[in-house]
Amino acid sequence: MLQEKDVVVVGAGPAGLAAAIEAGKAGASVLLVDLNLMAGGQLFKQIHKFFGSSAHHSGTRGFDIGKMLLQEAKDAGVEIWLGSAVIGLFPGMKVAIEKGLDGTKKEVITIQAKKIIVATGASENVIRFKGWTTPGVMGAGAAQTMVNVNHVKPGRKILMLGTGNVGLIVSYQLMQAGCQVVGLVEAAPKIGGYAVHAAKIKRAGVPIYMNHTIVEVKPGADGCVEKVIIAQVDEKFNPISGTEKEIEADTVTLAAGLKPSAELPKLMKCQYTFNGVFGGSIPLHNENMETSIEGIYVAGDTTGVEEANTALEEGKIAGIAAAQALGYIDAKVAEETKKEIWHRLVALRMGPFGERRLAEKEKIIAEYAMKIGAPVPEENMEGYDHVDN
Amino acid sequence: MCMRVENHVILDVEKKVSPVEITVDGLVIEAYEGEPVLGALLNAGIKINRYTVKRHEPRGLFCGIGQCTDCAMVVDGVPNVRTCITPVKAGMVIKTQDGLSKGEA
């Protein structure tokens, strides 16, 4: 006999936690699974105060929001498995979970779920240049994890590639941790992130090299980063010969955007769409955050890269919708609550960055309505093989 | 070579426990129980975790969250251990991984 759960949530970041809390509060038995040793996803790296309205924790630091959510999940009776990776989804709503740390004996446990919510977040994009694999070149998120979570500096002299909000905020946080940021490099003619973050960098006297890119990273005798060659780029972002500058640094951090981590729904043959604004290929979903396959929901960056607050709200919708489908919430109450959340999401998706995302989200939901209409039970799918246990 | 974050304006980074010792390629370094092995290595100035199979190129911290496997090392005889998500235990023996190390276990 397989262990049974009403709802299995994959990923314990803001979206997964919110989904698990809502489903748990409604009375569903919920298992929340996360690869990491601590729940909270990337929230515990966010040591800055959030923007937005008070309904969206403005003025609260990310790690405090993380702590609040963990307590709420506990109060809602959510079972949490940490250090556990979901390695497969199988026909009949079966979730295979590998439990255990590297270097120890691992075991695979299969859970029989009624509903599955995938909230696996996003991963950092990489920019390749000569020497990009040299130790000392890393994701901006990796550097942020080192200083803000592990309290250790990834290097002494750091060059940041990218001036989106991640590039700007992580640069500032590296300085707060005592690292020297020797510069930021941006291929575009305009700063990518908010002016308020860029102003902090400029006030600290850190140069921002606009219309520049990294051409090469040169290792020293120890095999690690020692020098970085940057150059100006033309309008097609190709380096212009003769404009090279040499910068001394022991660390290069890459902040080149994120792409949704949305591999798991593919295993259940959910339908996808490509969306440039949201960072890549994402599972098509409706207003319930349900995919083309009945009972499989998505939330947060998996459905398109945004931020913690939108992830939280989408997670709530998925959790409520799953609990509603299982009969734990009265349909009328559920519909009203979800409508309120969608209104809050509209408020979050405002401003020059947000408006684009609002329009794209509407397009995705319209595409779902046109192509899929209503979610299909998996046994009606083409190529479905029933597995008997 | 101390790379610990000290005197942070927002974070409480003060260590309230005593460090333990771990061994890295024969060298004894200080570490804190429960922190990722990789954090203790960075603090000791060790940035290379493994060498690639074909070209024998060095690799080190890249994603920091257990996704990329560039920080894999041989820990207590077990190869391919992602040091960024493996907590320190007192007395651990760590080795730089060379290619697809078979380990010693």
Side-chain angles (χ1 to χ4, degrees):
Chain A
M1 262 297 277
L2 296 178
Q3 278 190 63
E4 290 181 9
K5 288 282 173 193
D6 286 331
V7 182
V8 173
V9 183
V10 191
L17 275 165
I21 290 165
E22 291 304 321
K25 273 201 307 205
S29 62
V30 181
L31 174 64
L32 176 58
V33 186
D34 196 285
L35 174 77
N36 298 283
L37 294 176
M38 190 167 79
Q42 310 312 309
L43 277 172
F44 284 92
K45 293 170 201 180
Q46 315 301 328
I47 64 170
H48 53 282
K49 290 181 178 171
F50 277 42
F51 292 164
S53 66
S54 57
H56 291 117
H57 314 287
S58 67
T60 309
R61 299 185 193 279
F63 56 83
D64 287 324
I65 299 171
K67 281 185 210 157
M68 268 162 42
L69 290 174
L70 288 186
Q71 187 56 46
E72 281 181 47
K74 229 170 134 187
D75 295 343
V78 173
E79 188 176 338
I80 306 180
W81 289 5
L82 298 172
S84 302
V86 170
I87 55 169
L89 301 179
F90 295 95
M93 301 293 272
K94 291 180 182 66
V95 185
I97 303 166
E98 187 189 56
K99 232 180 159 180
L101 294 173
D102 275 8
T104 66
K105 203 169 176 293
K106 297 181 179 183
E107 62 173 329
V108 175
I109 300 166
T110 305
I111 303 285
Q112 175 68 60
K114 292 196 177 105
K115 306 285 173 194
I116 299 167
I117 300 173
V118 179
T120 43
S123 61
E124 296 194 89
N125 290 332
V126 160
I127 297 282
R128 278 156 294 186
F129 39 78
K130 195 176 174 196
W132 75 279
T133 57
T134 309
V137 179
M138 65 190 70
Q144 189 185 32
T145 305
M146 290 308 130
V147 288
N148 291 354
V149 179
N150 301 332
H151 304 165
V152 60
K153 291 173 264 190
R156 294 178 194 282
K157 295 175 102 174
I158 299 173
L159 184 70
M160 176 70 72
L161 181 66
T163 63
N165 281 324
V166 171
L168 297 173
I169 293 173
V170 173
S171 291
Y172 191 68
Q173 292 177 352
L174 286 164
M175 289 189 256
Q176 283 179 324
C179 302
Q180 187 193 347
V181 176
V182 295
L184 285 79
V185 179
E186 172 60 59
K190 244 179 84 185
I191 299 272
Y194 289 121
V196 59
H197 298 313
K200 280 185 175 180
I201 306 291
K202 287 177 186 162
R203 277 202 299 275
V206 176
I208 303 182
Y209 300 95
M210 303 305 298
N211 302 302
H212 275 72
T213 194
I214 294 177
V215 179
E216 184 181 357
V217 160
K218 289 186 171 172
D222 62 355
C224 303
V225 177
E226 189 181 67
K227 283 182 179 128
V228 187
I229 312 293
I230 67 168
Q232 211 176 311
V233 293
D234 60 23
E235 63 280 2
K236 285 181 178 159
F237 299 113
N238 292 315
I240 302 168
S241 173
T243 64
E244 293 85 358
K245 278 189 208 59
E246 188 179 273
I247 295 174
E248 246 182 72
D250 61 10
T251 305
V252 174
T253 47
L254 310 176
L258 298 139
K259 63 174 173 296
S261 297
E263 293 87 357
L264 283 175
K266 223 165 243 174
L267 297 174
M268 298 298 261
K269 302 197 174 82
C270 294
Q271 288 192 42
Y272 280 64
T273 188
F274 183 87
N275 189 293
V277 170
F278 280 131
S281 187
I282 53 178
L284 270 175
H285 54 277
N286 61 15
E287 293 94 337
N288 280 326
M289 304 310 294
E290 196 166 9
T291 64
S292 58
I293 304 299
E294 194 181 306
I296 306 210
Y297 300 79
V298 284
D301 279 358
T302 301
T303 73
V305 173
E306 294 191 80
E307 35 97 25
N309 275 327
T310 47
L312 265 168
E313 298 288 30
E314 285 193 349
K316 281 183 192 164
I317 294 170
I320 291 167
Q324 179 190 0
L326 290 167
Y328 286 106
I329 309 180
D330 173 69
K332 201 173 155 228
V333 175
E335 291 305 329
E336 271 170 26
T337 316
K338 285 184 291 184
K339 217 167 136 191
E340 278 167 32
I341 299 171
W342 277 109
H343 281 306
R344 292 209 296 271
L345 275 167
V346 170
L348 278 173
R349 290 173 179 140
M350 286 203 304
F353 295 101
E355 271 168 13
R356 278 197 314 170
R357 291 192 266 110
L358 180 63
E360 293 302 318
K361 200 67 171 183
E362 282 167 359
K363 253 194 241 168
I364 289 159
I365 289 171
E367 188 182 339
Y368 184 100
M370 195 181 69
K371 281 193 188 160
I372 298 155
V376 186
E378 51 167 331
E379 54 265 35
N380 296 350
M381 279 161 45
E382 214 176 310
Y384 178 90
D385 300 310
H386 187 74
V387 181
D388 258 323
N389 283 294
Chain B
M1 157 110 45
C2 176
M3 297 291 278
R4 300 265 176 216
V5 175
E6 287 162 342
N7 306 319
H8 199 285
V9 67
I10 298 162
L11 293 167
D12 177 14
V13 294
E14 198 194 325
K15 297 286 177 196
K16 279 133 192 139
V17 290
S18 310
V20 297
E21 285 182 346
I22 59 174
T23 310
V24 188
D25 295 331
L27 179 78
V28 176
I29 66 166
E30 275 192 354
Y32 289 93
E33 291 238 19
E35 75 171 329
V37 169
L38 185 83
L41 298 178
L42 282 177
N43 181 50
I46 299 164
K47 288 189 172 183
I48 296 172
N49 304 117
R50 67 179 186 100
Y51 288 89
T52 57
V53 182
K54 284 187 186 166
R55 295 187 186 162
H56 204 72
E57 289 173 356
R59 293 287 186 269
L61 160 64
F62 192 78
C63 82
I65 51 171
Q67 299 292 315
C68 78
T69 69
D70 263 0
C71 67
M73 298 179 85
V74 183
V75 176
D76 288 336
V78 182
N80 306 317
V81 172
R82 291 166 291 177
T83 54
C84 71
I85 54 163
T86 300
V88 163
K89 276 185 271 180
M92 264 181 168
V93 177
I94 292 145
K95 285 188 174 143
T96 302
Q97 182 161 327
D98 191 8
L100 294 172
S101 165
K102 296 269 190 297
E104 294 139 27

